[in-house]
Amino acid sequence: MLDKKKSIQEEKAILVGLVHQSQTEEQVIEYLEELAFLAETAGAKAVKRFAQKLPHPDSRTFVGKGKLEEIKRYVEGKDIQVAIFDDELSGSQISNIEKILDIKVIDRSDLILDIFARRAKSAQAKTQVELAQYQYLLPRLKGMWSHLERLGGGIGTRGPGETEIETDRRIVKDKINLLRKRLAEIDKQAFIQRKDRGEFIRVALVGYTNVGKSTIMNLLSKSEVFAENKLFATLDTTTRKVVFESTPFLLSDTVGFIRKLPHHLVESFKSTLDEVRESDILLHVVDISHPNYEEQIGVVNKTLQDINAFEKPTITIFNKMDLYEQNTFDPWLEEGVRNEILNDLKERWEEETHGNCVFVAAIEKRNIELLRTSILSKVREMYRIRYPYKSEFFY
Ligand SMILES: Nc1nc2c(ncn2[C@@H]2O[C@H](COP(=O)(O)OP(=O)(O)OP(=O)(O)O)[C@@H](O)[C@H]2O)c(=O)[nH]1
Ligand SMILES: [Mg+2]
């Protein structure tokens, strides 16, 4: 029962989102675009999107009955295996919707957990994801049972009684406890390792997923960190010692953030995010070519607050300037007008970040020297503050 197959690799999917009152239609289009990208990262193909304006989700079926009928009419007779909802669903909502649509139903959290599970490489990441998966499952067990009951529902088959559900709950709870203990052990080891790193200033790359953190890590540290155009390419933190003009420091590449990151996932990734929490300087990478980049900045800041890593000295790196220019400017636009638009943008963010920002195109290595200079001056400033009497040892 606990092996309910969730993988959606090579399946065709429809996407469903709700438009709340406070959201604009453009935002919801962008959200579903992101959900489609998540589905693609998990190996599925989104063939159709449905959105409904509702003040509150329907407690039984999430979207309204009429909308669900519309979706059912679309799905019927087509080669579609899964419906993906953009918000977290309860166990009973999942089974109610599955009853009506007669295809598999998963939600955004499920999808993100599935991607994380497939990408996890280290024992730490694997344990963290597994823990989050069981925590997500626990409150949904009952709904899933009633779903199974229906599937096996011929005459004479008896549905599960409370005992079976209770047995399952106990199995899941035991598993959660076991994983927690295992994680605590791994965390202890990681903590000891981090302590071994001495007195170096620590710098962490943070940001929304797919903004170019690993690409920048590679440029700055000449390492080969896995970077690709998929969400959550990086799950494990990579730390390298870097030396700029004889000043050494530690640079870490970390897991990307996303809106509505499942709560349990943030919880169990806390130890991976220790690297961020314990760092001295943050490099907040932003994909300025993304239509929702300002909202993404907000999501990252909120997540940093959640893990108690806010209000650290930060350099905001506006990346993908090449794509931004390509998307914003018509080829015939005069050079003067272009520069004016670019200057306005830069001035606005210079003001907002108190001068702590750099505009780069990592893919073209544009402005990387300037970025190095900004990082170096921040790192040296931190050494001076941290070790007023011996900071000269570090450069
Ligand atoms: N056009 C353009 N693409 C870029 C730039 N920098 C990175 N990319 C591309 O953006 C995609 C994501 O890059 P990554 O470095 O993997 O991004 P990340 O932030 O580490 O992503 P996650 O680890 O998945 O959170 C890759 O396809 C990169 O080649 C840039 O300056 N311009
Ligand atoms: Mg990465």
Side-chain angles (χ1 to χ4, degrees), residues 277-291:
R277 197 182 5 260
E278 292 169 12
S279 66
D280 305 291
I281 297 166
L282 298 181
L283 304 178
H284 180 166
V285 184
V286 176
D287 172 1
I288 198 156
S289 73
H290 196 284

Side-chain angles (χ1 to χ4, degrees), residues 214 226 234 253:
S214 300
F226 187 55
T234 310
D253 183 20

Side-chain angles (χ1 to χ4, degrees), residues 330-354:
D330 279 321
W332 46 263
L333 198 68
E334 276 178 43
E335 183 93 12
V337 183
R338 263 174 207 242
N339 288 340
E340 211 170 298
I341 295 173
L342 284 176
N343 283 340
D344 280 354
L345 179 78
K346 287 179 182 169
E347 258 172 39
R348 188 182 139 213
W349 285 107
E350 289 273 346
E351 197 177 307
E352 197 113 353
T353 62
H354 308 287

Side-chain angles (χ1 to χ4, degrees), residues 37 119 206-218 225-235 253-257 285 287 289 318-324 326 360-366:
F37 197 9
R119 302 217 152 205
V206 295
Y208 210 77
T209 180
N210 208 46
V211 293
K213 297 178 295 296
S214 300
T215 310
I216 292 174
M217 173 82 180
N218 289 340
V225 176
F226 187 55
E228 66 165 346
N229 194 22
K230 290 251 167 95
L231 301 177
F232 306 113
T234 310
L235 283 195
D253 183 20
T254 62
V255 58
F257 300 153
V285 184
D287 172 1
S289 73
F318 291 99
N319 188 32
K320 304 200 190 180
M321 279 302 281
D322 58 318
L323 258 191
Y324 169 82
Q326 203 176 306
V360 305
I363 212 104
E364 300 177 344
K365 304 197 170 123
R366 198 201 297 181

Side-chain angles (χ1 to χ4, degrees), residues 194-247:
R194 285 201 305 273
K195 276 193 99 163
D196 273 353
R197 292 198 195 138
E199 298 165 317
F200 292 123
I201 291 297
R202 285 156 63 175
V203 181
L205 284 154
V206 295
Y208 210 77
T209 180
N210 208 46
V211 293
K213 297 178 295 296
S214 300
T215 310
I216 292 174
M217 173 82 180
N218 289 340
L219 278 181
L220 296 177
S221 71
K222 299 200 179 67
S223 65
E224 278 305 317
V225 176
F226 187 55
E228 66 165 346
N229 194 22
K230 290 251 167 95
L231 301 177
F232 306 113
T234 310
L235 283 195
D236 291 305
T237 306
T238 313
T239 302
R240 296 264 185 286
K241 186 178 162 198
V242 185
V243 183
F244 286 180
E245 293 179 25
S246 72
T247 298

